[in-house]
Amino acid sequence: MTPAILFVAIAVILCGAAVLAILGVGQLALSGADAIERDGLARGTLAPTWSLADCAGLIHRSPPAGPLQLIVFADHSLKSFPSVVDGLRALRDGDLEIVVMLRGPNEIAGPVLSQLGLDGIPVLTGSAARYADYNVRVIPFAIFVDSAGRVRASSLVNHDWQLAKLRQIAAIPLEEAELATARRGRSGARRRGATFAAAPASALSGPVG
């Protein structure tokens, strides 16, 4: 191999490495921790409205008829998050409606969730577009919506204590400042930490005390 050919080969390799590095940084920006932190909907934002049938044909709606609804964005992979499953069991009460929203048709999700002890929680077939409406990319994700259709709390969840804290945040009445921010538009409302605007910044940083 002549020096000229060797020089060209090295230049091509270095250019390729530079392109891969740029693509890697871009991917990190799209899927890193900071990006995931901005997923979901800000507190006070109007959530999407829908009417969907579960596997038994029963119709479920959002906003809910009751005071509060928890939409869990998940599928059969929830079996890999036993702490989240425990948290969902603990949240079952008369004032909270819980539904599981799938990203698309999934025949095994219902049976798997039933085996996990979550039978009785409606499983609804959503879509990629519906997930996008809620700005959800990574699961399991939890969003609390009140009877007025306003988001009360929203976050990626991996542990039962996170669900418990979200439930506490969801119980805090919305302040006029939060509603005003939401009215200025979704793009203006979403800022880092906006999802938990009514709670301390460390609200999801550790177990419930």
Side-chain angles (χ1 to χ4, degrees):
M1 180 179 294
T2 66
I5 295 176
L6 180 60
F7 177 79
V8 171
I10 293 174
V12 170
I13 293 173
L14 291 176
C15 288
V19 170
L20 289 175
I22 292 171
L23 291 175
V25 171
Q27 180 65 24
L28 181 62
L30 290 173
S31 60
D34 287 345
I36 291 174
E37 183 180 337
R38 294 191 293 272
D39 282 5
L41 298 176
R43 219 179 109 87
T45 300
L46 277 173
T49 61
W50 46 259
S51 177
L52 295 172
D54 62 20
C55 58
L58 299 176
I59 301 298
H60 303 270
R61 296 180 173 83
S62 189
L68 199 60
Q69 179 183 60
L70 167 57
I71 307 172
V72 183
F73 296 83
D75 56 23
H76 62 280
S77 64
L78 199 58
K79 65 184 179 182
S80 300
F81 299 87
S83 184
V84 175
V85 173
D86 290 341
L88 290 174
R89 293 198 200 103
L91 286 180
R92 286 181 166 180
D93 61 53
D95 293 331
L96 178 64
E97 175 191 358
I98 305 176
V99 299
V100 172
M101 179 77 71
L102 305 176
R103 197 186 298 269
N106 187 326
E107 295 181 355
I108 66 173
V112 168
L113 295 179
S114 181
Q115 292 172 5
L116 293 174
L118 299 178
D119 47 305
I121 294 180
V123 179
L124 311 176
T125 301
S127 64
R130 197 173 299 281
Y131 267 53
D133 288 342
Y134 284 94
N135 194 35
V136 171
R137 296 177 299 166
V138 183
I139 58 175
F141 204 96
I143 295 182
F144 285 82
V145 179
D146 64 21
S147 58
R150 298 281 180 181
V151 173
R152 289 298 195 95
S154 168
S155 179
L156 181 71
V157 290
N158 291 304
H159 303 284
D160 53 354
W161 61 263
Q162 290 174 315
L163 280 169
K165 285 202 169 184
L166 285 171
R167 179 67 177 88
Q168 293 175 354
I169 294 170
I172 300 172
L174 290 169
E175 298 180 357
E176 181 56 36
E178 293 174 306
L179 295 174
T181 300
R183 282 194 291 268
R184 284 197 293 270
R186 183 172 171 180
S187 60
R190 186 173 296 113
R191 62 189 186 281
R192 185 169 300 178
T195 301
F196 306 102
S202 58
L204 294 185
S205 62
V208 177

